[in-house]
Amino acid sequence: METNTALAPFYAEAPDSAREPAARDAADMLVEALEALGVEYVFGVPGGAIEPLYNALARSGRRGGPQAVVARNEQGAAYMADGYARETGKIGVCIATSGPGATNLITGVACAYDNNVPMLVITGQPPIKNFGKGALQESSCTGINTMAMFRPCTRYNSLVSHAEQLPIKLFNALMHAQRTPSGPSHLSIPVDILRQPLPDDLETPDFAGLLRRAPALVDLPAVRQLARLLFSAQQPVWLIGDGCGEAASELMQLVQLTDGHFIATPDGKGFINPRHPRFRGVFGFGGHSSAAELLSSQPDLVIALGTGFGEFNSGGWSTNLLNSRLVHVDDSDENLMRSPTARLHVRGHIKSVCEQLIALLAPSNNGQDATVLPFLHPQVARQAYEAMVDSPQAIRSDSAPVKPQRLLATLGERCPPQTRFVADAGNSAAWAVHYLAPHDKRSGRLPGTSYLPAGQERRTRPSSWLRVTMDFAPMGWAIGSAVGIALANRRCPVVCLTGDGSYLMNGQEITVAAELGLPVLYVVLNDGALGMVKHGQRLAGAEPIGFALPKVDFAMMAAAMGIPGHVIRSPADLDALDFKAMLSRGGPTLLDVRIDGEEVPPMNLRMKTLGTAK
């Protein structure tokens, strides 16, 4: 692993007082375990109680191992680790000092927990001998108990009280983070434990062995039962969720073999081509009426794969989806427990289930993709997608301020097809889920893939051209996540869609992208308001309170940080931008887009489930 040149200032020659220690300490062992797992970056903010771990990362960075990336706030560090994990499929790592450093992490960790993102969270503690004495920023059980705070939002949560415990507890934490259902694991380690030398004869687990996955398990009798249902089904509907990334090509084969149609959850949209001739839209938050109408037509079979059925993904627990016509395929029992009315549950690794179904439905093909569905001409495909959306006329509007629909359509048309889009909670996610549809002249190719020769693009579970966060959806998540995605995959530019409210909360993380020379385009939907709050109050007939934001020139803020920015007041300003140049430069660019704040985002589902829809 080569040290990133953008991080070189962090790994300059060490002073005499910080030379390599005579013996390997616990912090070195922890970093070596991460290196064995292929982890390249550790995101965090330094502090006294976590200092030994930063010392170990400095030594690691000089030899080309895992490197420290310093966020501006610990919450941003957690979001960066989240984005890194989603893009690479590796575990994301974030670290913080004790007390407020640890509590600042919690929102990002909770988001990863609710979205099944594998993460290792390390927090510091004062020396054990000072527990209970009122030590500065103490956060053990005798202080502000961060262990108790992390318990509900982690898969594993433990205090390391002796250095000899660290190897096995670290191994357990990593195992819990990566097994199904995946999520964050937390270790809280006192500073004296981190700097303690380890005995030469201390045995450590085979951390690299965690990369060797167990054989994929599949409930074969249930797969055969599903195949029988598919043989007799007339145009079944396939619902593609966030867990389907590895199986995207197999799912398209199944759509063809069964003469079916497919829809996607909001967080599953990034795994499919929204201009595919058999796509009928997104079902759930920000979704399309065509998808809801397809389910309300009572198809005789709906196969949902790789999704739980929280509020946003289930259309507010729609009975058109959650009924006896549903077959639920997933490798997570937590997800399967959310569909008790389903006709059939199929437990298993989703790609393996799909491969088994292909073999049963088309045995003469021996599982090979002999033919592919013809794709529509790009112009026809664009017209078909525009016919699916709520306001196709707004996509082409030349009025000022800029219609959000026009903005999203322009981004889909002008950004390279390998672009990664990440949309923040609130209006940004709603507009992106509904209107964003990347365009590629080679329309048979999935958006988001990079320009590699056929067969060389290794598709992993997290690879997705659009990322949104469901169930637990914090504002500002996309701003940090974009940094993690860009660090993880420098072949693909990243576009972060965020609101002015989210940017005022977390926008300082753009300076991390600048420091590291990452090609991230930050697009701020600036309407001077907390848009979803404003429109929600209007739609509900509630008191208009607390939504207004000050008028801010975000391009000037960016300029003060040494980052180029543009204020976009009209579609003409938008059309004049050189997207290729912005997305290929060695650093971020900010667009302050003055959008039409009177345009109502597709948020009726949210109003319905809040009980305030009129």
Side-chain angles (χ1 to χ4, degrees):
M1 184 187 303
E2 295 182 359
T3 303
N4 189 308
T5 55
L7 295 175
F10 295 115
Y11 304 105
E13 183 65 26
D16 291 341
S17 59
R19 295 292 181 184
E20 308 298 315
R24 182 181 66 156
D25 61 23
D28 286 312
M29 189 281 297
L30 196 159
V31 174
E32 289 167 8
L34 298 179
E35 186 170 6
L37 289 170
V39 172
E40 302 154 293
Y41 303 104
V42 175
F43 305 92
V45 177
I50 202 72
E51 181 182 284
L53 188 50
Y54 272 92
N55 290 338
L57 286 167
R59 294 188 284 271
S60 168
R62 286 194 291 272
R63 69 169 186 269
Q67 305 168 46
V69 174
V70 179
R72 305 301 174 248
N73 181 281
E74 291 88 353
Q75 186 181 95
Y79 296 154
M80 292 174 195
D82 178 311
Y84 176 85
R86 292 182 194 234
E87 180 65 27
T88 63
K90 301 174 184 177
I91 194 163
V93 184
C94 56
I95 62 178
T97 193
S98 59
T103 58
N104 282 348
L105 280 175
I106 288 178
T107 296
V109 173
C111 178
Y113 178 85
D114 228 16
N115 289 273
N116 302 124
V117 177
M119 185 181 290
L120 177 66
V121 183
I122 305 292
T123 61
Q125 291 282 1
I128 284 185
K129 66 179 181 179
N130 293 339
F131 281 16
K133 296 180 180 180
L136 178 66
Q137 298 181 341
E138 185 188 343
S139 48
S140 70
C141 60
T142 58
I144 301 299
N145 193 347
T146 55
M147 292 296 300
M149 295 180 192
F150 276 105
R151 188 172 298 118
C153 57
T154 53
R155 304 293 179 190
Y156 182 88
N157 181 45
S158 187
L159 173 74
V160 179
S161 59
H162 296 78
E164 292 80 2
Q165 293 177 349
L166 181 58
I168 188 63
K169 286 193 172 184
L170 178 59
F171 190 84
N172 287 339
L174 292 165
M175 283 279 288
H176 279 80
Q178 296 180 95
R179 75 180 185 182
T180 302
S182 55
S185 286
H186 172 234
L187 291 178
S188 190
I189 312 175
V191 64
D192 52 332
I193 301 301
L194 281 171
R195 65 166 64 104
Q196 186 171 328
L198 295 177
D200 292 336
D201 58 351
L202 179 67
E203 292 190 13
T204 56
D206 177 16
F207 290 103
L210 290 170
L211 297 173
R212 298 190 289 272
R213 293 187 177 183
L217 300 178
V218 174
D219 184 351
L220 288 176
V223 173
R224 296 188 186 101
Q225 187 176 350
L226 174 54
R228 290 193 291 271
L229 291 172
L230 287 168
F231 270 121
S232 59
Q234 299 295 315
Q235 289 196 323
V237 174
W238 299 82
L239 174 61
I240 297 175
D242 185 45
C244 293
E246 262 187 322
S249 60
E250 288 80 8
L251 279 165
M252 292 304 98
Q253 291 182 58
L254 286 168
V255 169
Q256 178 183 6
L257 286 170
T258 60
D259 192 28
H261 298 289
F262 70 96
I263 57 180
T265 62
D267 53 358
K269 181 182 179 182
F271 296 124
I272 57 92
N273 189 328
R275 301 175 190 267
H276 193 290
R278 290 188 181 268
F279 180 56
R280 293 297 178 266
V282 171
F283 182 75
F285 176 72
H288 303 96
S289 58
S290 54
E293 290 166 1
L294 181 62
L295 291 179
S296 65
S297 69
Q298 298 189 347
D300 51 0
L301 197 64
V302 178
I303 309 96
L305 305 98
T307 184
F309 291 112
E311 176 184 331
F312 280 6
N313 283 344
S314 66
W317 306 284
S318 169
T319 55
N320 287 329
L321 173 63
L322 298 174
N323 55 49
S324 59
R325 295 187 297 275
L326 176 68
V327 174
H328 193 178
V329 181
D330 213 295
D331 58 357
S332 168
D333 283 339
E334 284 189 11
N335 282 349
L336 293 173
M337 285 189 291
R338 295 188 178 185
S339 58
T341 60
R343 176 187 305 190
L344 176 65
H345 285 152
V346 181
R347 288 173 174 80
H349 180 245
I350 293 169
K351 181 179 174 68
S352 300
V353 169
C354 292
E355 289 170 343
Q356 291 287 340
L357 284 173
I358 291 169
L360 291 168
L361 296 173
S364 61
N365 286 352
N366 294 319
Q368 300 299 312
D369 184 14
T371 58
V372 295
L373 276 169
F375 278 76
L376 303 176
H377 183 277
Q379 183 65 22
V380 176
R382 182 171 74 172
Q383 293 172 351
Y385 189 77
E386 289 183 4
M388 192 185 297
V389 303
D390 287 349
S391 301
Q393 69 281 358
I395 290 175
R396 298 178 291 275
S397 173
D398 288 328
S399 64
V402 179
K403 300 287 186 185
Q405 303 93 325
R406 172 75 148 80
L407 170 64
L408 271 295
T410 300
L411 291 172
E413 292 286 336
R414 300 283 302 280
C415 293
Q418 74 271 30
T419 301
R420 303 296 199 239
F421 294 90
V422 54
D424 236 328
N427 286 1
S428 301
W431 291 122
V433 166
H434 195 89
Y435 285 96
L436 189 60
H439 174 69
D440 186 359
K441 292 180 180 178
R442 292 171 288 177
S443 60
R445 190 177 63 158
L446 180 75
T449 53
S450 59
Y451 292 110
L452 292 178
Q456 291 187 24
E457 173 77 10
R458 180 177 176 271
R459 199 163 171 78
T460 62
R461 181 184 184 276
S463 58
S464 170
W465 61 264
L466 172 63
R467 291 187 179 86
V468 294
T469 182
M470 292 290 99
D471 304 336
F472 199 87
M475 293 173 65
W477 161 81
I479 297 170
S481 183
V483 173
I485 294 168
L487 261 179
N489 185 356
R490 289 178 176 269
R491 291 177 293 131
C492 298
V494 179
V495 174
C496 172
L497 298 164
T498 189
D500 47 349
S502 292
Y503 197 81
L504 287 171
M505 287 185 181
N506 296 85
Q508 71 280 356
E509 303 299 345
I510 194 174
T511 61
V512 182
E515 187 175 29
L516 302 180
L518 301 176
V520 182
L521 179 62
Y522 284 92
V523 181
V524 182
L525 281 65
N526 188 353
D527 60 356
L530 298 171
M532 188 154 284
V533 174
K534 178 181 77 174
H535 291 295
Q537 290 171 352
R538 289 180 177 179
L539 292 171
E543 293 285 350
I545 182 173
F547 63 80
L549 294 174
K551 294 182 179 179
V552 178
D553 188 323
F554 292 104
M556 289 186 67
M557 286 180 62
M561 300 172 180
I563 297 166
H566 306 271
V567 176
I568 307 302
R569 294 184 172 87
S570 68
D573 292 341
L574 188 64
D575 292 342
L577 293 170
D578 187 342
F579 281 89
K580 182 178 180 181
M582 290 188 297
L583 290 169
S584 60
R585 69 175 296 271
T589 305
L590 183 137
L591 302 183
D592 178 350
V593 185
R594 308 297 170 86
I595 64 167
D596 184 348
E598 296 306 305
E599 288 293 317
V600 182
M603 58 180 289
N604 286 336
L605 169 64
R606 179 63 174 153
M607 303 303 298
K608 173 186 173 183
T609 53
L610 285 173
T612 55
K614 288 194 171 184

